């Protein structure tokens, strides 16, 4: 059985490890562990930045994702953005993300403050896009643009 719950500080080392793995797998980035530790800790220290949820099987964390709030003046509430999603390789294709997504949906449904869920995905990551469609998400009509200050990861 897999349980989904809000992450606790004891989960920080695992979350850090997962973020390092995810960055390398998805974008070929080798992240600096110290920087990632500070970034993950910052989320726990300042809840306005967001929060993590984890999937646990037999007391082992097998997946995590971060939820960050974005204020919508149109809807007078927050969207939760799914970010930093990682599922251990041996648990992929077993519905782990679907369970995590259902948990997030239940949080949104039970709150007057939350209005919806959003995420972004690399255009080339067709497999992930299919997963998101399968769990009931719809492709948005928005296109994302960004500017990133040059920093070393």
């Amino acid at each position: 059985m897999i349980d989904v719950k809000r992450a606790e500080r004891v989960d920080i080392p695992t979350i850090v490890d997962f973020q390092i793995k995810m960055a390398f797998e998805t974008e070929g980035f080798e992240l600096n562990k110290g920087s990632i530790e500070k970034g993950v800790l910052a989320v726990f220290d300042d809840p306005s930045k967001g929060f993590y949820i984890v999937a646990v099987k037999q007391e082992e964390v097998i997946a995590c994702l971060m939820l960050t709030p974005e204020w919508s003046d149109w809807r007078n509430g927050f969207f939760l953005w799914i970010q930093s999603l990682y599922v251990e390789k041996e648990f992929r294709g077993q519905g782990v993300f679907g369970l995590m997504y259902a948990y997030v949906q239940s949080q949104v449904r039970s709150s007057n403050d939350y209005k919806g869920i959003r995420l972004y995905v690399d255009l080339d990551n067709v497999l992930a896009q299919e997963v998101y469609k399968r769990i009931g998400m719809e492709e948005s009509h928005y296109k994302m643009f960004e500017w990133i200050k040059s920093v070393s990861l």
Side-chain angles (χ1 to χ4, degrees):
M1 177 165 173
I2 297 172
D3 293 312
V4 178
K5 64 178 185 136
R6 197 165 179 144
E8 300 172 10
R9 286 183 178 271
V10 68
D11 300 317
I12 290 174
T14 303
I15 293 169
V16 168
D17 182 52
F18 285 176
Q19 296 318 298
I20 291 169
K21 289 178 181 179
M22 187 259 303
F24 189 76
E25 283 180 31
T26 60
E27 300 183 36
F29 286 140
E30 291 190 27
L31 298 177
N32 176 289
K33 185 174 182 178
S35 180
I36 297 303
E37 286 172 334
K38 289 177 186 173
V40 171
L41 185 60
V43 174
F44 281 91
D45 288 344
D46 181 0
S48 71
K49 287 181 170 57
F51 59 96
Y52 291 93
I53 64 170
V54 292
V56 180
K57 183 172 185 175
Q58 297 174 350
E59 299 183 31
E60 177 190 358
V61 175
I62 61 168
C64 73
L65 61 80
M66 181 175 65
L67 294 161
T68 57
E70 175 191 43
W71 180 255
S72 171
D73 55 353
W74 287 14
R75 293 178 178 85
N76 189 31
F78 292 96
F79 277 87
L80 287 177
W81 279 86
I82 294 174
Q83 298 187 77
S84 301
L85 167 64
Y86 187 80
V87 178
E88 284 277 40
K89 285 183 180 181
E90 60 266 29
F91 297 101
R92 294 178 190 167
Q94 298 178 33
V96 175
F97 174 67
L99 292 171
M100 297 175 84
Y101 181 74
Y103 176 90
V104 176
Q105 271 190 317
S106 73
Q107 299 298 300
V108 171
R109 284 189 174 118
S110 66
S111 170
N112 291 326
D113 294 331
Y114 298 143
K115 305 302 178 184
I117 304 166
R118 290 183 170 153
L119 58 76
Y120 55 87
V121 61
D122 188 291
L123 293 174
D124 294 331
N125 194 342
V126 177
L127 181 62
Q129 292 174 45
E130 291 303 316
V131 169
Y132 302 146
K133 289 175 187 173
R134 238 186 348 263
I135 63 169
M137 295 190 86
E138 297 176 1
E139 191 170 336
S140 172
H141 63 277
Y142 294 106
K143 189 168 197 162
M144 186 177 156
F145 290 81
E146 68 180 4
W147 176 85
I148 301 174
K149 181 173 86 171
S150 180
V151 294
S152 98
L153 302 174

